[in-house]
Amino acid sequence: LRRIERQPVVRSVAPTEAEEDAGNNNGDALIFAATLSANPRSLHVLWEEYERGIGGRRAAKLFTKDERDKVKHKYHRRKMVWDLISTLVRGGLTAQVAIDRIYDLYGRADSVTTIINKLKKDRRNGILFPLF
């Protein structure tokens, strides 16, 4: 335990819901980590990460250029899905319906990674927003 105690590591704790709502005691806004989740399990979680942030993280749409550069590969791959959902939402659908349409097209049993790979393949073939 003494060795662990002496390690020069910064350990952060995600803020509670009350702290998120009220801010900290000084009245300053809380600073959230600008990272992306390791493995989102569904497109719904992926969209939540973009819009509001998950797990005490900041929303991906609010990332600065430097923050995007730190997670460049993940951000770039996920941005294709976020752009597709955003386009469908601007077209008059809700985010949930847009995600359901993506699942209908690419397969509900497929993982998020598989859907992203299929979307990349469609983009390379010149199909930007298939069947929408």
Side-chain angles (χ1 to χ4, degrees):
L1 288 174
R2 288 183 187 155
R3 277 187 270 153
I4 293 172
E5 183 180 19
R6 285 184 266 153
Q7 289 178 350
V9 176
V10 177
R11 293 176 176 87
S12 61
V13 177
T16 63
E17 288 182 21
E19 290 173 336
E20 287 179 6
D21 293 338
N24 62 12
N25 294 338
N26 299 332
D28 299 332
L30 291 174
I31 299 173
F32 297 106
T35 59
L36 296 174
S37 63
N39 187 14
R41 297 292 179 188
S42 70
L43 294 179
H44 297 282
V45 173
L46 200 66
W47 181 249
E48 184 74 18
E49 178 179 50
Y50 179 72
E51 283 291 310
R52 292 176 199 83
I54 56 174
R57 297 177 182 100
R58 185 157 49 153
K61 70 179 181 180
L62 302 176
F63 282 11
T64 63
K65 171 129 176 51
D66 291 335
E67 293 166 343
R68 286 191 306 265
D69 286 345
K70 290 179 184 175
V71 290
K72 186 183 291 187
H73 188 256
K74 282 184 188 178
Y75 191 91
H76 170 73
R77 287 179 56 83
R78 294 175 187 189
K79 180 110 172 73
M80 290 187 296
V81 175
W82 296 332
D83 287 345
L84 178 56
I85 296 170
S86 295
T87 301
L88 294 173
V89 168
R90 281 193 307 272
L93 300 175
T94 65
Q96 304 305 319
V97 172
I99 291 168
D100 287 339
R101 286 201 180 172
I102 293 169
Y103 273 130
D104 290 341
L105 180 64
Y106 290 110
R108 291 198 176 273
D110 289 342
S111 68
V112 173
T113 303
T114 304
I115 291 172
I116 290 172
N117 289 339
K118 288 179 180 180
L119 187 58
K120 278 180 66 174
K121 184 178 177 184
D122 283 349
R123 279 193 156 182
R124 269 182 292 190
N125 293 331
I127 303 169
L128 292 179
F129 302 112
L131 302 178
F132 296 114

